[in-house]
Amino acid sequence: MRSTRDLFEVVRTIGLTLPDVEAATKYDGSPVLKAGGCFMAGLAGHASAEPGSLVVRSRVEDREWLLEDAPDTYYVTDYYERHPVVLVRLDTIDAGALHDLLSASRRLTMEKARRASAPALGA
């Protein structure tokens, strides 16, 4: 079985093919992908997540569809449920689905980055 870091290398490789995506490291040393300077995807660090899981920005509606469509691959825990993310079992997702998931996450993240950098109205 491959290590979590090895599994993330596949995520990193696919993610870096997308525009404006960069590899970074969280405060605890774990690898993440960012788009527009904002978190896009990274290894799930909370104890409620299964080992070898990726946490990816997702719209709640999309997460519900993913959970219903592929429960062996996608899941959410009570801790992560309040956030607009989905957890992914990296050893069960193929490269094509991972690319699609990261592409959707990138779009959402770039929208967040643009909103964060937009000047406030009336300023």
Side-chain angles (χ1 to χ4, degrees), residues 14 16 38 40-41 43 46-47 52 55 64 88 93 104 111 115 123:
I14 292 171
L16 291 178
C38 295
M40 185 180 116
L43 294 175
H46 191 265
V55 59
E64 294 307 318
V88 183
I93 191 167
E111 287 173 14
R115 283 192 309 268

Side-chain angles (χ1 to χ4, degrees), residues 5 9 11-12 14 41 50 65 93 112 122:
R5 296 273 178 173
E9 190 56 33
V11 174
R12 183 183 179 285
I14 292 171
E50 297 172 16
W65 180 83
I93 191 167
K112 178 180 178 171

Side-chain angles (χ1 to χ4, degrees), residues 15-21 35 106 110:
L16 291 178
T17 66
L18 302 171
D20 304 314
V21 173
R106 181 199 160 274
M110 292 303 292

Side-chain angles (χ1 to χ4, degrees), residues 51-70:
S53 292
L54 184 71
V55 59
V56 179
R57 186 180 303 278
S58 173
R59 291 183 340 169
V60 174
E61 309 83 63
D62 295 338
R63 175 176 72 193
E64 294 307 318
W65 180 83
L66 291 167
L67 295 173
E68 187 177 307
D69 189 56

Side-chain angles (χ1 to χ4, degrees), residues 11 14 18 40-41 54-59 62-63 65-66 73-74 85-90 93-109:
V11 174
I14 292 171
L18 302 171
M40 185 180 116
L54 184 71
V55 59
V56 179
R57 186 180 303 278
S58 173
R59 291 183 340 169
D62 295 338
R63 175 176 72 193
W65 180 83
L66 291 167
T73 300
Y74 305 102
V85 299
V86 68
L87 294 164
V88 183
R89 294 176 181 98
L90 284 173
I93 191 167
D94 66 48
L98 183 58
H99 182 274
D100 293 346
L101 185 67
L102 291 174
S103 293
S105 178
R106 181 199 160 274
R107 281 190 301 276
L108 290 171
T109 304

